Amino acid sequence: MRKKSLVWFRNDLRLADNPALAAGIGAGAILPVFVLDPAAKWGGASLWWLHHSLAALAQDCAARGATLILRRGDSTAIIPALARESGAAAVHVGRSHEPWLRGVDRAVAAALKSDDIAFERHRSALMFGPEQITNKTGGVYGVYTPFSRACFEAFTARPPIDVPERIDGIGDVASDALEDWHLLPTSPDWAGGLRETWQPGEAGAHKRLADFLDTGLDDYDKQRNLPGAPGTSMLSPHLHWGEIAIDAVWRAAEATKTKRTEGRQTFLKELVWREFAAYLLWHNDTLDTVPMRAQFADMPWRDAPDELGAWQRGQTGIPIVDAGMRQLWQTGWMHNRVRMITASFLIKHLLIPWQDGEAWFWDCLVDADAASNAASWQWVAGCGADAAPYFRIFNPVLQGLKFDPQGDYVRRFVPELAKLPNEIIHAPWDAAPDALHKAGVTLGKTYPRPLIDLATGRDRALAAYKSIGAASE
Ligand code: FAD
């Protein structure tokens, strides 16, 4: 007998390779639903992305005969009510690792059970259910390398699930209008750079993947650390919103013919870093606020709102840091190498709590992800799982010279320094007055002086880390 289902979209805004959707369609007619739940606390850039991604998904559903139902409010009330109203026998949903959804899922499951409606959660966003991967003693991995080994051994991407040709929708259910949610910025409209950079939605995700496999995969291992080169996939927001399945990306990377294997292998390892972050969040649901290593609660952080503001605006006077922060503001994304440099500068040179940086990234990133963001900030701070050692304090000048040797990246995002020669573009404060003059740079006027002397900041950070006993471990 054909049964009706409610398909609840969350971090899986796609039609291809969507097991929850396939299960619903396999049983009969479906009601596709997305709920804008205030408990999610998405940042501004995420809301911008969500608007466009939902518009694309709604269009893709409509082209196949179904209406995507949009509702705003408490998911624990809305989903059971819609399931009852539409006569669904089951609710199908992609499993999510985000802490706020755990309580939601428990409440929804209980409400549905009392109405005799099944609640079926499908593996969708991740390679595994986070509780599936355990170490030899059945415990939780705290270190990436053995975790990744276990993932590589156990994972086989599932075979493709095609986009359905037709979706038999359940009619006559009221929906909000997407425009009424006002997810896009109005005045000021800060999203111009985001519009130029991204095509949210499933089609944009597949295009991004195809481009990367064509031009980026082969030399990914060599190019991925150079922020001035288009050397990484830029798939992170598409993966975060589930516009493309992790299985689809993995399968495609494995199937692409390459001249060498190192590029592919390094890329697959990065996908496993994403998995590791989700795994850590699953086992530590306060990852975004509470340091995993307890003594970090006693770090002598500084309260320096002006310096935090200068960092946020890309006005620290350290070119590679400012380039990264401006890339973030303009495009909603920042290159991974520069995420590490800017985070290290905030936490270590400025001694500002990593949670303040995490919160800013959360608001500005189109790929803001509860797991990857929190785990990465803890990693840079030295208080997370498998974290960078406390004494590894990136020198932003040396990082710039190594990874942006021609200064292309700095010139793109800090145009006021564009005429400086390569040798001094990463440390204009060391340049001869004549060289600055020729390039039209006046420190303190056209470009800020550094917020801090780098050696002084480094010594202060090392002393702070020693004061909490980080050095004695
Ligand atoms: P690629 O190099 O092409 O990698 C492919 C995919 O692997 C990425 O799309 C991403 O899903 C995953 N990946 C790559 N590196 C990492 C990593 N270090 N940790 C987890 N997953 C990874 N990533 C997010 O998706 N969301 C975040 O909110 C986020 N915040 C970060 C904050 C800081 C301080 C740092 C240092 C890193 C953060 N990252 C975050 C990880 C990483 O910077 C981005 O995933 C990467 O830059 C995305 O670009 P890409 O898609 O071109 O990556």
Side-chain angles (χ1 to χ4, degrees):
M1 198 182 90
R2 312 257 314 145
K3 285 186 182 160
K4 292 180 188 169
S5 308
L6 186 154
V7 176
W8 181 11
F9 286 95
R10 303 198 297 205
N11 290 88
D12 52 356
L13 304 179
R14 63 176 185 271
L15 299 186
D17 289 297
N18 188 328
L21 177 67
I25 290 175
I30 67 158
L31 187 72
V33 178
F34 181 88
V35 180
L36 183 69
D37 190 325
K41 299 194 174 69
W42 286 303
S46 293
L47 291 176
W48 175 87
W49 190 284
L50 180 61
H51 174 100
H52 293 291
S53 193
L54 286 175
L57 181 65
Q59 214 172 27
D60 291 344
C61 286
R64 287 159 185 83
T67 304
L68 177 67
I69 304 300
L70 303 176
R71 290 289 178 91
R72 180 179 210 151
D74 177 0
S75 320
T76 64
I78 292 172
I79 292 296
L82 278 176
R84 274 193 299 272
E85 190 187 328
S86 57
V91 170
H92 292 281
V93 68
R95 229 187 125 171
S96 170
H97 54 276
E98 294 183 26
W100 75 275
L101 278 169
R102 280 188 225 169
V104 166
D105 279 2
R106 273 193 297 273
V108 169
L112 292 174
K113 197 167 177 203
S114 65
D115 283 329
D116 215 14
I117 300 172
F119 185 49
E120 293 191 20
R121 300 191 304 155
H122 303 260
R123 177 179 76 75
S124 184
L126 296 175
M127 298 159 66
F128 297 98
E131 70 290 328
Q132 277 177 275
I133 301 286
T134 54
N135 62 23
K136 289 203 172 70
T137 58
V140 175
Y141 284 108
V143 177
Y144 168 80
T145 305
F147 172 85
S148 75
R149 212 174 293 128
C151 289
F152 274 101
E153 272 167 23
F155 187 65
T156 310
R158 51 161 90 87
I161 308 175
D162 290 338
V163 175
E165 275 175 28
R166 245 204 87 66
I167 301 176
D168 187 7
I170 300 173
D172 276 349
V173 176
S175 171
D176 294 353
L178 182 57
E179 306 301 328
D180 290 346
W181 284 359
H182 303 294
L183 303 180
L184 301 178
T186 44
S187 60
D189 172 12
W190 43 256
L194 277 65
R195 286 193 290 273
E196 274 169 31
T197 313
W198 302 103
Q199 182 191 342
E202 190 166 7
H206 283 274
K207 184 173 179 314
R208 188 72 85 176
L209 175 64
D211 287 351
F212 172 69
L213 295 177
D214 250 14
T215 59
L217 184 63
D218 232 330
D219 286 333
Y220 174 77
D221 54 318
K222 295 185 193 158
Q223 297 287 317
R224 63 180 286 268
N225 270 311
L226 307 176
T232 70
S233 70
M234 294 181 80
L235 278 169
S236 49
H238 300 291
L239 276 166
H240 168 74
W241 290 105
E243 296 168 350
I244 190 161
I246 181 71
D247 295 76
V249 176
W250 192 282
R251 243 179 8 237
E254 280 191 325
T256 300
K257 285 203 168 60
T258 50
K259 291 191 206 90
R260 17 196 312 284
T261 56
E262 293 86 341
R264 181 204 336 273
Q265 209 47 29
T266 309
F267 180 67
L268 296 179
K269 282 184 186 161
E270 292 309 313
L271 296 177
V272 177
W273 269 107
R274 172 178 177 270
E275 189 78 13
F276 186 49
Y279 178 82
L280 291 175
L281 179 63
W282 181 260
H283 292 289
N284 306 273
D285 59 8
T286 53
L287 198 65
D288 60 338
T289 48
V290 179
M292 287 180 72
R293 292 169 63 194
Q295 80 259 46
F296 277 72
D298 298 329
M299 263 299 267
W301 298 116
R302 294 170 62 241
D303 178 24
D306 291 350
E307 292 175 26
L308 176 62
W311 177 82
Q312 290 170 336
R313 293 191 309 277
Q315 295 289 344
T316 66
I318 310 290
I320 190 98
V321 172
D322 293 340
M325 297 310 295
R326 295 185 200 184
Q327 180 179 35
L328 174 62
W329 182 253
Q330 285 169 31
T331 70
W333 184 87
M334 193 197 299
H335 188 279
N336 179 61
R337 169 60 46 183
V338 194
R339 292 190 203 205
M340 293 194 284
I341 298 169
T342 54
S344 170
F345 182 75
L346 183 80
I347 299 166
K348 300 188 176 178
H349 283 100
L350 298 183
L351 218 53
I352 290 177
W354 61 267
Q355 293 92 335
D356 289 351
E358 197 270 353
W360 182 252
F361 272 33
W362 179 257
D363 201 20
C364 297
L365 280 170
V366 287
D367 65 23
D369 182 87
S372 295
N373 199 32
S376 302
W377 276 93
Q378 292 229 21
W379 184 87
V380 178
C383 56
D386 203 4
Y390 77 93
F391 51 80
R392 186 189 294 162
I393 297 181
F394 280 136
N395 178 321
V397 175
L398 298 181
Q399 289 282 312
L401 290 169
K402 183 167 178 191
F403 295 112
D404 185 32
Q406 309 300 319
D408 298 337
Y409 181 71
V410 164
R411 286 195 180 86
R412 191 179 328 146
F413 291 104
V414 190
E416 64 269 36
L417 299 181
K419 292 197 181 124
L420 283 176
N422 296 348
E423 317 80 73
I424 54 173
I425 195 163
H426 290 291
W429 57 89
D430 276 344
D434 184 40
L436 290 178
H437 182 72
K438 262 198 215 142
V441 175
T442 311
L443 291 182
K445 234 175 169 186
T446 62
Y447 184 68
R449 291 182 196 285
L451 272 184
I452 183 151
D453 169 67
L454 293 175
T456 309
R458 180 188 153 81
D459 290 348
R460 184 174 63 186
L462 287 174
Y465 276 91
K466 280 190 188 123
S467 76
I468 58 160
S472 54
E473 287 183 10

